[in-house]
């Protein structure tokens, strides 16, 4: 490589490393706000996050960055670079093109606003106060609409947002995939709902000591291979995972006194996200590739560990006695088959994060449809509670008794994450497609789970998914692993097989 | 004010606010490293802290800052400014002059090094591994020596460091003040040591449940007026307080299973630091004046709450029964007078932070003398354990059995804080001088303590000390409050009166 190119590449890597430093600082400040930062410091903190995000944004859109990309992102230079560096250049160029269109002051306003709104959201949710939240959300939607204008609308305005989380994903594609899935799941949901032999689950809702729940969650995380020397677990209203750097991937969960399953599955879910980021190849540290390749693939990993592993019969054949030993009074009389059926009980519930695997997709479709209305049809934010409640009645047959368990239940919109929700359903589809492959390549898959021997599974996923970080694109990754493109039938097959067994259909 | 000056002033305030944002981010990252950040992320974190500190440093020494100071820091402009803005200009100019002399790359190396060393120190201390720590410390001292050259030595090289923590403080002054103090304390220590009626304190070293200790510490902090909505308490190896912003002033403590007094007094100590920062006038938020005015004054507040309040008989007349109710098994048979004598027992101990009020100053004098040797006499870092142990034998009659409880006991040097230790003794002197005044102005001082009614005391201190933040200099503040300059006799008077009573001399 020419010496000049070599030098530019080094400056480019250095600049990107600096941007990762801002990312780490901002992520820690956001983590802190959600896990225990004192209330009275939140407003200044929101400003601080705004200032540092803006500085980072300035670096990403700086003249220096533009010049470096101008040198490196040319065919004759790209062919001299190795795969990783080529992918970094490509990725940074995309981000640069997207960012350079937003004026820095607009961006700072946006970050301060969303950071502030995210903090306030907890109280609004708790007080079921949509009227209080509405002015913030109205501003966030308006600013996002403005950003869509800067970026340029794709097939529809909402497509611009979708593309950010899952490259090239479109409303057309999503309508089609969601349609296919719906056609197969609706009859299944109906069959399940009219099945005579429904699982009982009352025993899940006794009183469960919080400390014991915490111990059991930590135990399970250790079992699946979450590295506590490269992470920690805390509590927050809405569980999340955040990778500050590959040696520091944190998760949160929440412990509900009257629901033993909630913390278990949110821990496994966030643990799945964390396994992904903890096992990204160290050579990518300090580069923009040291993260999940898309929200959908990220979610496939959380879903895989939460559902394909964590809600399987094999898993509880191994761990149920451990759970019983944490809660002998509550569970000694409950058999493992009844426990397994209970944690897979299908119920038309209000809360997405507590929903079963089957109806979960309906929760996503509701948000997807509402977001399309907000951005493609200018739905007034004031109308949200009405639209929300109507759709919940239509799809799930229930009307939220208040906005706290309705339209205010998710943090995403307060943080400006529109176009993100579909990733959850994509995650389910990717996960099922990957599971189908893993069963072929590791024939003893269920046996390993039943032994609590997750290392071969984690290693397989590291080799196929985790180590690449963002250096392979989602479609490329799925094709390489499974030999075909995204195919919603695997999820439908998986769910049919599972629920027919559980409901004795 | 001219419009141009007005505009410059606004830009100047804005730039300083941005610098405070970096300060908040870096402080949070440092807090996090010391309270529970995962081990494997520490190395990247140290780099991240280095990068952001450097960016902040660049802003402090930027051409923009130089130009703004050039406009604002002129006599004809200063007289148009109000007191607060004038003091900000003056303070920023001092910092600018100091910083601009250090090349940015040297500073970044220094920050990365000290951040890294601070993290490693915990392990070195635990493993009593001075040999492992020595190369880091050697580098830190060498870089500090280099910085002294950049800043320019004052009367001696070490004076340059002293001045940074306590403006205008000199080795000459310190030798004198420490001399006066020593002359009065040495006979007192001797009298105490030969007193026949020594307090018993074995009962402090039974086993005390950690959770109960934590509850009691939090209870006391609430009692003295620490605002948990503007702070939080965590655990760390070495307790500390850190003000991220006036709405977020955090403290840490440590709970020793076999020592009930340790957490109580470290909590009150750090709580005192926090009361100062939580009560700085809100108009100073976002300015460089939103902090304590000097290390010595800061320490006077932690000492005041820890010792003058927390080790007083009146305090335990109010709270001893509460402590007993947390530990009935251990303390039900112990009388309050015996407890009060026990927590004031004088003992020649190895660990500074566990030392009594009387011998504490000897611990400081040892560090002061060693630091003078390091910087004025080029003492080799390798010699530190030997010198340390000799001085402990000479001043306190004990030789540390290992370096973990000897030369490695304090975090300060790993963070590059040389010239800081004398502040602790200054803090004692300021605190006693302030206490003498408060007793005159609030004649019912002891009565209030015995009632657990701290609001009038906190309000008095807010009015005289806290609200000003850094807008009054230490000497100015002490003169305004007490009507005279620093006078070590108040500390000697206080200690004589106290220990004569406790030891029945």
């Amino acid at each position: 490589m020419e010496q000049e190119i070599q030098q530019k590449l080094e400056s480019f890597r250095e600049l990107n490393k600096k941007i990762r430093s801002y990312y780490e600082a901002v992520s820690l400040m956001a983590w802190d706000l959600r896990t225990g930062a004192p209330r009275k410091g939140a407003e200044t903190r929101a400003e601080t996050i705004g200032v540092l995000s803006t500085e980072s944004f300035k670096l990403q859109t700086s003249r220096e960055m533009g010049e470096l990309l101008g040198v490196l992102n040319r065919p004759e230079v790209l062919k001299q670079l190795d795969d990783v560096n080529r992918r970094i250049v490509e990725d940074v160029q995309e981000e640069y093109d997207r960012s350079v269109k937003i004026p820095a002051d607009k961006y700072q306003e946006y970050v301060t606003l969303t950071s502030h709104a995210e903090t306030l959201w907890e109280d609004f949710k708790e007080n079921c106060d949509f009227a209080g939240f509405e002015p913030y959300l109205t501003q966030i939607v308006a600013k996002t609409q403005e950003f869509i204008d800067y970026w340029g609308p794709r097939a529809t305005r909402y497509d611009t947002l979708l593309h950010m989380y899952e490259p090239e994903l479109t409303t057309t594609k999503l309508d089609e995939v969601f349609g296919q899935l719906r056609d197969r799941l609706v009859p299944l949901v109906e069959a399940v709902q009219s099945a005579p032999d429904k699982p009982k689950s009352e025993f899940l809702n006794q009183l469960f000591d919080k400390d014991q729940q915490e111990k059991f969650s930590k135990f399970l995380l250790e079992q699946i291979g979450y590295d506590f020397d490269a992470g920690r677990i805390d509590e927050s209203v809405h569980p999340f995972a955040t990778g500050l750097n590959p040696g520091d991937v944190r998760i949160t969960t929440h412990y509900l006194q009257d629901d033993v399953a909630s913390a278990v599955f949110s821990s496994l879910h966030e643990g799945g996200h964390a396994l992904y980021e903890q096992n990204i190849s160290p050579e990518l540290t300090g580069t923009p590739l040291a993260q999940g390749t898309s929200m959908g693939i990220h979610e496939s990993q959380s879903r895989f560990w939460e559902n394909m592993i964590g809600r399987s019969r094999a898993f509880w054949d191994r761990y149920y006695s451990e759970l019983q030993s944490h809660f002998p009074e509550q569970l000694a009389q409950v058999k493992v088959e009844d426990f397994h059926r209970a944690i897979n009980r299908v119920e038309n519930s209000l809360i997405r994060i507590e929903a079963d695997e089957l109806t979960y997709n309906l929760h996503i479709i509701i948000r997807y449809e509402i977001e399309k209305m907000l951005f493609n049809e200018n739905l007034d934010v004031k109308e949200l509670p009405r639209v929300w409640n109507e759709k919940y009645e239509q799809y799930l047959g229930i009307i939220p008794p208040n906005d706290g368990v309705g339209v205010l239940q998710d943090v995403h919109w307060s943080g400006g994450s529109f176009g993100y929700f579909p990733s959850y359903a994509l995650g389910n589809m990717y996960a099922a497609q990957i599971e189908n492959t893993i069963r072929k390549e590791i024939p003893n898959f269920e046996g390993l789970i039943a032994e609590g021997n997750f290392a071969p599974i984690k290693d397989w996923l590291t080799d196929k998914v985790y180590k690449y970080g963002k250096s392979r694109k989602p479609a490329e990754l799925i094709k390489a692993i499974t030999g075909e493109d995204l195919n919603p039938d695997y999820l439908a097959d998986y769910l049919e097989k599972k629920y027919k067994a559980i409901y004795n259909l």
Side-chain angles (χ1 to χ4, degrees), chain A residues 266-500:
Chain A
S266 76
S267 298
L268 288 172
H269 180 96
E270 304 306 336
H273 282 303
L275 285 182
Y276 192 174
E277 302 228 357
Q278 284 186 336
N279 292 290
I280 291 173
S281 171
E283 64 164 334
L284 302 179
T285 301
T287 80
L289 306 185
Q291 55 180 314
T293 187
S294 73
M295 294 304 156
I297 297 292
H298 228 309
E299 195 65 14
S300 78
Q301 293 315 299
S302 56
R303 293 279 147 179
F304 182 86
W305 288 98
E306 176 192 357
N307 292 331
M308 275 77 183
I309 304 267
R311 290 189 207 265
S312 71
R313 178 61 194 266
F315 188 80
W316 292 104
D317 282 343
R318 168 67 186 83
Y319 292 108
Y320 187 59
S321 60
E322 303 271 1
L323 181 65
Q324 283 178 311
S325 76
H326 283 74
F327 302 105
E329 213 177 294
Q330 294 90 337
L331 297 177
Q333 304 306 318
V334 178
K335 290 183 201 146
V336 63
E337 49 266 39
D338 294 327
F339 178 79
H340 176 245
R341 293 188 76 210
I343 58 170
N344 284 294
R345 183 182 152 100
V346 174
E347 205 159 13
N348 296 1
S349 73
L350 287 170
I351 306 293
R352 178 183 60 84
I353 57 166
E354 310 285 347
D356 57 83
E357 285 179 81
L358 197 50
T359 57
Y360 186 91
N361 298 293
L362 295 173
H363 288 266
I364 298 307
I365 291 172
I366 289 172
R367 285 156 183 76
Y368 169 63
E369 291 180 356
I370 290 177
E371 290 189 347
K372 276 203 297 184
M373 290 168 77
L374 276 173
F375 290 95
N376 291 348
E377 297 161 31
N378 284 317
L379 174 70
D380 190 333
V381 167
K382 286 196 179 63
E383 298 294 311
L384 275 182
R386 184 185 55 76
V387 174
W388 180 283
N389 292 352
E390 282 171 10
K391 287 196 183 281
Y392 264 80
E393 188 174 16
Q394 185 187 344
Y395 288 96
L396 288 150
I398 29 179
I399 305 175
N402 63 62
D403 292 334
V405 295
V407 66
L408 288 172
Q409 73 179 260
D410 286 307
V411 69
H412 304 60
W413 291 344
S414 69
S417 299
F418 300 103
Y420 184 116
F421 278 115
S423 310
Y424 292 123
L426 284 173
N428 290 336
M429 292 185 275
Y430 289 141
Q433 190 164 339
I434 290 171
E435 197 232 16
N436 179 266
T437 303
I438 219 175
R439 281 181 180 274
K440 288 184 213 151
E441 298 192 9
I442 306 182
N444 189 31
F445 179 66
E446 272 187 28
L448 292 173
I449 298 173
E451 285 165 21
N453 181 8
F454 298 107
I457 298 169
K458 196 189 79 174
D459 291 347
W460 189 92
L461 288 165
T462 297
D463 193 47
K464 304 284 187 181
V465 183
Y466 302 164
K467 71 176 181 189
Y468 294 112
K470 207 179 175 186
S471 62
R472 289 193 173 185
K473 292 193 174 178
E476 190 186 346
L477 200 65
I478 286 296
K479 187 74 180 269
I481 300 168
T482 69
E484 61 179 313
D485 296 331
L486 173 64
N487 180 346
D489 281 338
Y490 290 108
L491 179 59
D493 292 347
Y494 160 84
L495 291 171
E496 272 174 13
K497 185 174 169 215
K498 173 168 187 169
Y499 285 100
K500 281 183 178 165

Side-chain angles (χ1 to χ4, degrees), chain A residues 237-250:
Chain A
V237 174
H238 186 97
F240 67 97
T242 183
L244 307 181
N245 67 56
D248 189 351
V249 183
R250 303 180 180 199

Side-chain angles (χ1 to χ4, degrees), chain A residues 91-194:
Chain A
D91 187 73
V92 172
Q93 182 76 61
E94 275 174 42
E95 191 65 33
Y96 177 83
D97 290 341
R98 181 152 55 225
S99 302
V100 85
K101 294 175 177 166
I102 309 289
D105 58 333
K106 296 271 176 199
Y107 184 72
Q108 170 148 16
E109 279 169 31
Y110 174 80
V111 173
T112 304
L113 172 65
T114 52
S115 169
H116 195 182
E118 261 190 308
T119 309
L120 295 174
W121 163 79
E122 285 194 18
D123 280 341
F124 289 131
K125 177 186 166 182
E126 200 166 312
N127 301 325
C128 308
D129 180 10
F130 184 79
F133 188 54
E134 186 267 318
Y136 293 96
L137 192 54
T138 299
Q139 279 187 70
I140 294 170
V141 170
K143 284 189 193 296
T144 306
Q145 287 281 30
E146 236 183 298
F147 285 8
I148 293 173
D149 286 324
Y150 284 120
W151 289 320
R154 295 168 77 91
T156 74
R157 300 183 66 81
Y158 185 57
D159 281 65
T160 303
L161 302 176
L162 283 179
H163 174 66
M164 272 171 35
Y165 296 105
E166 206 68 18
E168 309 304 336
L169 184 66
T170 62
T171 47
T172 311
K173 174 77 178 173
L174 220 41
D175 288 344
E176 176 200 317
V177 172
F178 279 167
Q180 268 178 273
L181 200 61
R182 198 190 300 120
D183 289 349
R184 289 192 59 188
L185 296 191
V186 167
L188 181 59
V189 172
E190 281 168 6
V192 157
Q193 279 170 346
S194 55

